[in-house]
Amino acid sequence: NAGVTQTPKFQVLKTGQSMTLQCAQDMNHEYMSWYRQDPGMGLRLIHYSVGAGITDQGEVPNGYNVSRSTTEDFPLRLLSAAPSQTSVYFCASSYSGRAGEAFFGQGTRLTVV
Amino acid sequence: KQEVTQIPAALSVPEGENLVLNCSFTDSAIYNLQWFRQDPGKGLTSLLLIQSSQREQTSGRLNASLDKSSGRSTLYIAASQPGDSATYLCAVAPRGSTLGRLYFGRGTQLTVWP
């Protein structure tokens, strides 16, 4: 049982480049979300999805896009990378957004230079 | 807005001690509270999930309690070991907020030395 899988684990981008962070879960969870973790800021919600075809913004959505075409996958796209997007990104999933246990991926450490 | 606070921010103890990590939250209207462990450079590992109707959960040497009325949770670690060294995060899922949104504390960094 793989749980939540994120790729890549590390990435260095130049300012202005775009990329997609991949997230896949094999637990048939309805709810998936993306967080970023920054020193002194804790984890902040970027985008979330309550099912295939349904996404919405979280606390810090600017500069990021998401889509959810399948239950399993929830990619996060950086449109034009900026140094302020240097962070560790975590994908999470749960069976029920309200009461379900959340499971996290191992994270993607992104550096924008 | 829900705010989650964890005290202390850091804790260093000798092996074998029993210890308590604290988590407080400002709005008692929650679905659940979850404790996570994070090792350096790694993801978050779920330790315990307490539903709003529950008072405590236990897993091995870990026991988490929840007092919604006072907005507090504690994580009790018995007979601590060097392998327990990690950052411990608590998170709440508030009612009436963005579906599934978790609000995190900033964590307690625990070091257990031999």
Side-chain angles (χ1 to χ4, degrees), chain A residues 1 12-13 15 38-41 53 62 65 74 85 93 100 109 111:
Chain A
N1 189 350
V12 178
L13 287 180
T15 297
D38 302 290
M41 299 290 291
N62 292 341
N65 270 359
F74 190 43
Q85 293 179 303
S93 74
R109 187 174 297 272
T111 302

Side-chain angles (χ1 to χ4, degrees), chain A residues 31 40 48 59 97-99 101, chain B residues 31 46 51 98-101 106:
Chain A
Y31 183 85
Y48 67 97
E59 184 182 359
R98 286 193 171 92
E101 183 177 9
Chain B
Y31 287 110
S46 177
Q51 301 293 351
T98 301
L99 182 65
R101 168 88 162 94
R106 296 189 180 180

Side-chain angles (χ1 to χ4, degrees), chain A residues 12-75:
Chain A
V12 178
L13 287 180
K14 294 182 179 179
T15 297
Q17 286 185 318
S18 63
M19 79 160 294
T20 299
L21 280 62
Q22 301 291 344
C23 175
Q25 53 91 10
D26 61 358
M27 297 173 281
N28 200 32
H29 285 168
E30 303 165 333
Y31 183 85
M32 297 184 74
S33 55
W34 278 99
Y35 289 84
R36 58 178 290 172
Q37 185 177 38
D38 302 290
M41 299 290 291
L43 283 99
R44 293 179 292 170
L45 181 67
I46 305 172
H47 284 286
Y48 67 97
S49 169
V50 299
I54 307 170
T55 64
D56 207 343
Q57 297 180 352
E59 184 182 359
V60 287
N62 292 341
Y64 307 95
N65 270 359
V66 292
S67 60
R68 183 106 178 260
S69 56
T70 67
T71 300
E72 294 78 19
D73 300 300
F74 190 43

Side-chain angles (χ1 to χ4, degrees), chain A residues 74-91:
Chain A
F74 190 43
L76 178 71
R77 282 182 286 277
L78 279 70
L79 308 174
S80 177
S84 62
Q85 293 179 303
T86 294
S87 186
V88 181
Y89 292 85
F90 289 103
C91 178

